[in-house]
Amino acid sequence: MKKREFLKVFGVGTIGAIALSSITWGCGGTEHKKGLKNWAWIHPLESSDPSHSADEWKKLLTNLKRWGIDSALLLTQNSSIISQVLPIAKQVGVELHAWIIALNWPDKTTMKEHPSWYVVNGKGESSVDKPAYVDDYNWLCPSNPEVVEFMKKRVLELCTIDGLAGVHLDYIRYPDVVLAPAHKSKYNIPQDDFVHPASDYCYCEVCRSQFKKLSGVDPVTMSDQATNQAWLNFRYDSVTNLVNELYDTAHKSGKVLSAAVFPTPYLSKFRVRQDWVKWKLDYVMTMIYHSYEGKPVEWIETATREGVEALSGKFPYYSGLHLAQLTPKELGLATKLSLKAGADGFVVFPGNKMSEEYWKYIEMGIS
Ligand SMILES: [Zn+2]
């Protein structure tokens, strides 16, 4: 499976302090209820012709603005694309953030020069040589101080771009430990909810020595690797510490930091070791892609409430809604249920697929 297809299948696609967000809320062109803010995860355009693409960007962003979207999360780390889109976004009144794939880093040069930066599973296999699930599931280890510096550099480069509002982290997690029901059946793996060594990360030298320093135990020698609470906490904290460093990096440059995360606090920890309620963020976007979990549309309300209640207002919460899983009418219901459950707004994926029809039902839901 190619990266792009995989991103689609896995629903990637999704975004920074309460004080900052209260300034930006309500500054958009579309009238919202007080405090409400809506977002779109958008992909770069297919066209490589700059003169054509300027017109296409204007059309997309103008439409999004008309459809109640205040901020766009643009999937690129390419400063020339960002520089092209920024003035257009400013002109139409859409705030722009750079959306980046954080730790899934199938870069051949990095793998060759720094194989020790990559995660190792419970069988001792590196994700460089034996990636889980798909060929490019090569993941950086968040515990490694050199990876932390590398990630800070990536974020800092984006933070030097004038006019960019912030950086949005996606794939800021471990590789999937336990896949959601809709994904599990696609792979030749045990179809249960247990943690198996082949998808249990990370047992790299850095993780082993850091955990041994903390607990006195080398995790490879433990008989309860899958359930040991201290070892689980170490992995949650490893991602949390990285996010917190990146938050400080962004804020020192006057930018905000946000992240795309799994649907609920429980599922995020269980599936990918994200303990996002503890993170330092300006905004969080949950990917509440109900079909992947085998749930009905109504589950969006339950999942949103779990997240909102766990956060207790620590930072704004946006329900991420997958257009491919929702008819226009269902999207209207999903936005309504998200707001009822206490979300500060919603984020649609992919924003490039938004339409007048979808907006008609959203408007009915939120008016
Ligand atoms: Zn590691």
Side-chain angles (χ1 to χ4, degrees), residues 126-199:
S126 167
S127 73
V128 170
D129 316 308
K130 286 206 165 186
Y133 314 117
V134 285
D135 289 347
D136 58 4
Y137 232 36
N138 318 105
W139 287 70
L140 299 171
C141 175
S143 306
N144 189 319
E146 291 176 19
V147 169
V148 175
E149 288 309 308
F150 175 68
M151 288 303 303
K152 281 163 77 173
K153 204 172 145 209
R154 285 179 67 197
V155 167
L156 202 56
E157 272 170 20
L158 292 166
C159 289
T160 59
I161 302 175
D162 256 2
L164 190 72
V167 177
H168 178 66
L169 305 172
D170 199 355
Y171 284 65
I172 183 73
R173 58 181 181 84
Y174 282 89
D176 311 67
V177 185
V178 179
L179 291 175
H183 299 137
K184 217 178 294 184
S185 57
K186 296 188 181 81
Y187 302 100
N188 185 25
I189 54 171
Q191 304 290 310
D192 56 40
D193 270 353
F194 294 112
V195 173
H196 295 277
S199 53

Side-chain angles (χ1 to χ4, degrees), residues 141 143 202-204 207:
C141 175
S143 306
C202 170
Y203 294 81
C204 77
C207 284

Side-chain angles (χ1 to χ4, degrees), residues 58-238:
K58 187 158 186 185
K59 188 178 169 195
L60 174 66
L61 293 169
T62 304
N63 277 335
L64 288 175
K65 184 70 183 174
R66 196 156 55 85
W67 295 329
I69 303 296
D70 308 286
S71 303
L73 306 155
L74 172 62
L75 181 60
T76 189
Q77 184 129 15
N78 183 327
S79 59
S80 66
I81 295 178
I82 296 170
S83 300
Q84 186 197 14
V85 180
L86 262 176
I88 302 168
K90 191 178 176 191
Q91 193 190 351
V92 305
V94 170
E95 185 185 71
L96 194 69
H97 299 242
W99 158 24
I100 64 169
I101 306 296
L103 294 173
N104 181 202
W105 192 249
D107 177 71
K108 292 210 164 17
T109 308
T110 315
M111 286 194 274
K112 192 174 170 203
E113 291 178 1
H114 305 287
S116 64
W117 287 10
Y118 285 79
V119 292
V120 172
N121 68 15
K123 295 169 81 179
E125 299 165 339
S126 167
S127 73
V128 170
D129 316 308
K130 286 206 165 186
Y133 314 117
V134 285
D135 289 347
D136 58 4
Y137 232 36
N138 318 105
W139 287 70
L140 299 171
C141 175
S143 306
N144 189 319
E146 291 176 19
V147 169
V148 175
E149 288 309 308
F150 175 68
M151 288 303 303
K152 281 163 77 173
K153 204 172 145 209
R154 285 179 67 197
V155 167
L156 202 56
E157 272 170 20
L158 292 166
C159 289
T160 59
I161 302 175
D162 256 2
L164 190 72
V167 177
H168 178 66
L169 305 172
D170 199 355
Y171 284 65
I172 183 73
R173 58 181 181 84
Y174 282 89
D176 311 67
V177 185
V178 179
L179 291 175
H183 299 137
K184 217 178 294 184
S185 57
K186 296 188 181 81
Y187 302 100
N188 185 25
I189 54 171
Q191 304 290 310
D192 56 40
D193 270 353
F194 294 112
V195 173
H196 295 277
S199 53
D200 185 25
Y201 295 90
C202 170
Y203 294 81
C204 77
E205 293 294 332
V206 173
C207 284
R208 287 172 60 186
S209 76
Q210 284 184 4
F211 184 71
K212 193 171 179 185
K213 211 182 252 180
L214 281 172
S215 67
V217 183
D218 181 342
V220 299
T221 66
M222 297 189 309
S223 56
D224 60 344
Q225 285 171 345
T227 54
N228 184 286
Q229 196 58 50
W231 178 225
L232 283 170
N233 291 345
F234 174 85
R235 270 90 54 91
Y236 303 147
D237 292 347
S238 173

